[in-house]
Amino acid sequence: MVDEVRIEGLGVIDEAVLDLSPGFNVVTGETGAGKTMVVTSLGLLFGGRADPQRVRPGAERATVEGRIVVEPGGRVAERVEEAGGELDDGALIVTRSVSAEGRSRAFLGGRSVPVSLLINLADELVAVHGQSDQQRLLQAGRQRGALDRYAGEAVAGPLRAYTATYDRHRKVTALLEELTTRAKERRQEADVLRFGLEEIEKADPKPGEDEELAAEEDRLGHADALRGAADGAHEALLGDPSAAFEAANVVSLLGTARNALDAVRDHDPALAALADRLAEAGYLVSDVATELAAYAESIDADPARLAVVQERRAELTGLTRKYGQSLNEVLEWARTAAARLTELEGDDDRIEGLRAEHAELTERLEREAAELTAVRTAAAERFSAAVTEELTALAMPHARVDVAVTPTGEYGPHGADEVEVRLAPHPGAKPLPLHKGASGGELSRVMLAIEVVFAGADPVPTFVFDEVDAGVGGKAAVEIGRRLARLARNAQVIVVTHLPQVAAFADQHLLVEKSDDGTVTRSGVTALDREGRVRELSRMLAGLEDSELGRAHAEELLELAAQER
């Protein structure tokens, strides 16, 4: 529900606060006081068109801030969280501003958001029925959805079955279309995959082979340098046995040092330990020298082998250029391509199976759509009669509402029906769509009748009606008040009215007042107590706030409304 609305710089309203109750809220005031601005502010709050002409003269911008109590963890709360906004103690703060130049900004839960998000959220939060608003139930999809909810399980069960069939039918249709219309592209794709797999199979690469060949090519390409280095290191460690005289080398020097220490090692354990370490170093150096000699013997400049390695590397490089950054990626591509090729080569069998399934699904879809049409038509007849009965009590005794359920032959996610609510305002008149068959005041009353019939079936937390009682008086006005009060049992209702018979049924009475200092009119909103309501109803009845007759009549209206609530 809408808990509070703050308005600044909108129309004749300089600054005002609307404290709203959960039930039936009514807004009254003298002509020109700014009652309609209340509805305008709610429209702005939920994504209505930003009209810079609505900005109060002399103000830079008009601002509307609403505090809306929402269900924690519900759909609205989830969407606010997705947009980056936050709830404030279980309430959603929505702000909308319009500058005098026409620039509009919207904030949701403290986060700037596009106005379109407010429009989307409005479907979950409010239904505004004003003289110039885009009526919620005038939308074809809304009319169908509302009728389905009115019908209850009679439609819900068949609709679930139909939706499952429709979803599968759509997937099978899309897959068949892809397989048949893209047959040439799929054959070309198969040829490309087949060529690549044959090329890879012919080369027969092994995992890690490219790295091993790179190392071998490097070794073969530097064979002379590697052998020379090994020989030089061997000679430095162990000496050259072919030399005419023995030069100093590491092994002999280590031996000399060891012998020097061995001669006196018995006299000091510390020196003996150093002698042992020299012995170990000599053994280690000898082992390294031996391995160097073996390594030098194994290194052989082999131009033929080098050519073979380079040729193989070029072959593998050709594969990596086409199928991956490395040989492992090439092999992974081959595995994926083989699976895809198997899928493509099985297209003919798949197409045959899918065509059979498609035919069966089409037949089932037609059958289930026809069942949906039948149950919707039955619900539409009940709904038409109920709304027509409501209109009789709302000073439209000759009006008739007709809900047309027309099969279109085009299957969608909700069936193949087009649902349209039509109104014949008098006998003999052809039923027309609501926005064509009713004036502004009549349309508001039709909407009220529809909402009363739909109460509980089309659950919207808040309903807003502007001038729902236009052109109505007397007993019909009482009936309007009674039905608004009935609607308020299941939802929050906000009504702008000029009829005391309607205002008397309200749980919360808000008065829009204006004060004129001779130059500027400033309007504000006041919540009335019992005495304040009597004075306002007296003014609405007799034009005089303190008329005894008016006050008595006002008291009578309040008593009547209290008894019926």
Side-chain angles (χ1 to χ4, degrees), residues 28 159 176 276 396 407 426 456:
T28 65
L159 183 58
L176 260 178
D276 292 339
M396 297 178 67
H426 53 81

Side-chain angles (χ1 to χ4, degrees), residues 474-491:
K475 183 179 178 180
V478 175
E479 291 299 326
I480 290 177
R482 182 178 288 118
R483 276 152 179 77
L484 287 167
R486 185 189 308 172
L487 182 62
R489 294 172 187 170
N490 300 306

Side-chain angles (χ1 to χ4, degrees), residues 121-329:
L121 283 180
D123 288 343
E124 306 286 344
L125 296 171
V126 66
V128 179
H129 299 300
Q131 296 289 330
S132 60
D133 291 294
Q134 176 64 37
Q135 305 296 339
R136 179 171 166 273
L137 281 177
L138 293 184
Q139 303 169 16
R142 276 291 181 178
Q143 293 180 3
R144 185 209 62 249
L147 179 62
D148 287 353
R149 286 188 289 275
Y150 173 78
E153 190 58 31
V155 166
L159 183 58
R160 283 193 296 269
Y162 170 87
T163 301
T165 302
Y166 172 80
D167 289 342
R168 180 58 187 167
H169 184 273
R170 184 178 58 176
K171 291 177 182 177
V172 170
T173 300
L175 189 53
L176 260 178
E177 183 177 354
E178 180 187 2
L179 292 176
T180 54
T181 61
R182 295 184 57 208
K184 181 179 179 180
E185 291 87 342
R186 294 171 73 88
R187 283 196 299 270
Q188 291 175 342
E189 182 185 357
D191 289 342
V192 171
L193 294 175
R194 196 176 293 110
F195 175 82
L197 288 170
E198 290 174 356
E199 187 175 15
I200 294 173
E201 183 179 0
K202 181 180 179 181
D204 190 24
K206 302 296 187 294
E209 183 183 358
D210 51 348
E211 297 176 359
E212 295 174 2
L213 289 173
E216 185 178 1
E217 182 183 5
D218 194 32
R219 187 169 61 252
L220 289 171
H222 298 83
D224 290 339
L226 292 172
R227 186 172 54 250
D231 286 339
H234 177 271
E235 182 177 343
L237 295 178
L238 202 58
D240 184 2
S242 64
F245 59 92
E246 183 176 353
N249 57 74
V250 174
V251 172
S252 62
L253 291 174
L254 285 173
T256 301
R258 176 188 172 189
N259 291 334
L261 296 181
D262 281 342
V264 294
R265 64 180 295 152
D266 295 337
H267 303 298
D268 189 345
L271 198 62
L274 293 174
D276 292 339
R277 290 172 63 185
L278 283 173
E280 292 174 4
Y283 300 145
L284 178 60
V285 170
S286 295
D287 288 343
V288 172
T290 301
E291 291 181 15
L292 284 170
Y295 176 82
E297 288 293 329
S298 69
I299 292 297
D300 186 20
D302 188 348
R305 175 58 186 168
L306 180 59
V308 169
V309 169
Q310 290 174 335
E311 183 179 352
R312 177 61 173 172
R313 286 199 71 197
E315 182 180 19
L316 297 181
T317 299
L319 295 180
T320 56
R321 286 198 188 102
K322 296 179 182 179
Y323 308 110
Q325 297 295 321
S326 66
L327 205 56
N328 288 336
E329 290 186 14

Side-chain angles (χ1 to χ4, degrees), residues 32 50 57 68 79 86 151 195 212 231 241 261 269 300 363 370 416 505 518 542 548 560-561:
I68 305 168
R79 297 186 69 176
E86 296 180 349
F195 175 82
E212 295 174 2
D231 286 339
L261 296 181
D300 186 20
E363 181 180 349
F505 281 88
E548 284 191 26
L560 171 66

Side-chain angles (χ1 to χ4, degrees), residues 99-110:
S99 71
E101 293 78 24
R103 291 190 299 274
S104 172
R105 297 192 66 185
F107 295 86
L108 188 68

